[in-house]
């Protein structure tokens, strides 16, 4: 049973540091931008965009920027009721684990929803946060398992994901991706879902929506402009998919961002 202690988003804090101390909870973080370092039990770990880290309790940990760089990251800390009964092998480890995730956009979306639920503290938020954290840890554990059993199939999916990340503004079709890696569309669709937990179309939407969300948060653009930038010609369809993924319409995000900044 996972019990959340806290969850949050570090947004380029120039004074960010973690003084040397012994960890008492599990911590999982996803680096969104910038670079940082952790010194854990004497070993220095260098982290950047797309890196995941799990730090178990009982570690002597220190955190500091890399060459003064500022970073963004999502994080969650939690306890497990009896580590011997931990639901995932990862949580039984006594050493930290890091990996450059193949599911960056999806995990970023799940972390974002987790932090939103934790901060909002609406009805059932604790159960929702526990479920989201369990999903995140499960996906990290799956990637840890895959590292022990590398295969050409994983390389194929990674190539597809890299292509989507580089060309998400375009109209991406499964048959074109399949031709690129030399397999049939049905085979690619089945393999992609089995290894990532999402369909190719869902992954493309995750990448597009994440980019649109970042635009709405950081740039002076309208919802229509953000939708068109990431390749949605139909704003109504964009609004519907955005709400399905994030749980609220893009207009809410746009209005809240303008209210917080005093514009609009």
């Amino acid at each position: 049973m996972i019990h959340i202690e806290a969850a949050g988003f570090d947004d380029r804090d120039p004074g960010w540091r973690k003084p040397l101390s012994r960890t008492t909870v599990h911590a999982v973080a996803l680096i969104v931008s910038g670079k940082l370092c952790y010194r854990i039990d004497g070993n220095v770990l260098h982290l950047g965009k797309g890196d995941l880290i799990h730090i178990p309790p009982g570690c002597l940990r220190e955190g500091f920027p890399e060459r003064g760089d500022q970073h963004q990251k999502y994080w969650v800390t939690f306890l497990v009721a009896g580590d011997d009964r931990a639901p995932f092998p990862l949580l039984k480890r006594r050493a930290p684990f890091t990996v450059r995730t193949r599911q960056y956009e999806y995990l970023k979306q799940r972390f974002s929803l987790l932090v939103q639920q934790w901060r909002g503290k609406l009805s059932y938020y604790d159960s929702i946060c526990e479920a989201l954290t369990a999903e995140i840890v499960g996906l990290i554990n799956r990637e840890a398992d895959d590292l022990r059993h590398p295969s050409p199939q994983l390389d194929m999916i990674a190539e597809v994901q890299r292509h989507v990340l580089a060309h998400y503004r375009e109209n991406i079709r499964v048959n074109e991706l399949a031709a690129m890696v030399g397999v049939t569309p049905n085979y690619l669709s089945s393999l992609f879902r089995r290894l990532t937990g999402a369909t190719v179309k869902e992954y493309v939407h995750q990448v597009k929506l994440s980019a649109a969300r970042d635009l709405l948060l950081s740039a002076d653009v309208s919802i229509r402009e953000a939708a068109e930038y990431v390749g949605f010609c139909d704003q109504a369809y964009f609004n519907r998919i955005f709400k399905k993924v994030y749980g609220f319409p893009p207009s809410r995000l746009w209005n809240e961002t303008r209210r917080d900044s005093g514009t609009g």
Side-chain angles (χ1 to χ4, degrees):
M1 176 84 180
I2 289 175
H3 175 71
I4 311 297
E5 290 286 299
F9 180 68
D10 293 339
D11 191 7
R12 298 189 180 95
D13 179 3
W16 180 85
R17 290 191 73 92
K18 291 290 183 183
L20 186 64
S21 63
R22 184 77 61 180
T23 57
T24 58
V25 295
H26 292 273
V28 172
L30 171 67
I31 316 306
V32 175
S33 71
K35 296 180 180 179
L36 66 148
C37 301
Y38 282 107
R39 182 180 289 111
I40 303 176
D41 294 333
N43 299 312
V44 177
L45 304 175
H46 301 269
L47 304 174
K49 179 180 178 179
D51 285 334
L52 286 161
I53 184 168
H54 166 247
I55 305 174
C59 293
L60 196 59
R61 177 216 58 193
E62 179 183 13
F64 48 92
E66 182 162 304
R67 295 189 297 273
D69 201 5
Q70 297 177 16
H71 71 273
Q72 294 177 304
K73 71 174 182 295
Y74 289 102
W75 56 268
V76 59
T77 57
F78 57 93
L79 293 168
V80 177
D83 279 356
D84 58 329
R85 300 191 302 276
F88 303 104
L90 180 70
L91 301 182
K92 298 179 182 179
R93 294 170 58 109
R94 292 293 175 259
F97 171 78
T98 63
V99 65
R100 177 65 56 88
T101 180
R102 302 189 313 273
Q103 304 176 74
Y104 172 75
E105 294 298 340
Y106 182 72
L107 283 167
K108 180 181 174 184
Q109 183 259 328
R110 305 314 279 167
F111 265 107
S112 175
L113 184 57
L114 168 62
V115 172
Q116 174 198 341
Q117 290 289 331
W118 181 260
R119 289 176 174 172
K121 289 185 168 47
L122 301 177
S123 301
Y124 314 114
Y125 81 93
D126 48 352
S127 296
I128 294 172
C129 288
E130 288 168 4
L132 287 167
T133 300
E135 180 189 3
I136 289 168
V137 173
L139 292 171
I140 297 172
N141 212 139
R142 184 179 293 168
E143 297 208 42
D145 292 344
D146 291 342
L147 286 176
R148 295 198 301 270
H149 306 287
S151 72
Q153 292 177 330
L154 293 175
D155 292 338
M156 181 190 301
I157 296 304
E159 183 179 351
V160 169
Q161 290 176 319
R162 286 194 295 270
H163 182 85
V164 172
L165 288 171
H167 301 277
Y168 67 88
R169 296 182 63 192
E170 303 169 13
N171 185 19
I172 298 175
R173 300 182 183 277
V174 175
N175 61 338
E176 295 171 351
L177 295 173
M180 181 184 73
V181 295
V183 298
T184 67
N186 285 343
Y187 178 80
L188 176 62
S189 297
S190 175
L191 181 65
F192 195 96
R193 182 158 196 165
R194 178 163 62 85
L195 294 183
T196 70
T199 66
V200 175
K201 185 176 181 179
E202 287 170 344
Y203 179 74
V204 172
H205 280 165
Q206 289 161 13
V207 173
K208 288 177 176 288
L209 292 175
S210 179
R213 180 178 180 275
D214 289 345
L215 272 177
L216 293 172
L217 285 171
S218 60
D220 186 18
V221 297
S222 67
I223 295 172
R224 178 177 295 278
E225 288 170 334
E228 291 177 349
Y229 180 85
V230 300
F232 284 94
C233 298
D234 184 344
Q235 186 182 336
Y237 181 63
F238 169 78
N239 292 347
R240 187 162 63 252
I241 298 299
F242 191 101
K243 185 175 181 179
K244 179 180 178 181
V245 170
Y246 288 108
F248 53 86
S251 57
R252 174 175 153 187
L253 179 67
W254 193 89
N255 289 332
E256 289 180 352
T257 302
R258 271 66 193 170
R259 183 180 66 244
D260 292 342
S261 63
T263 62

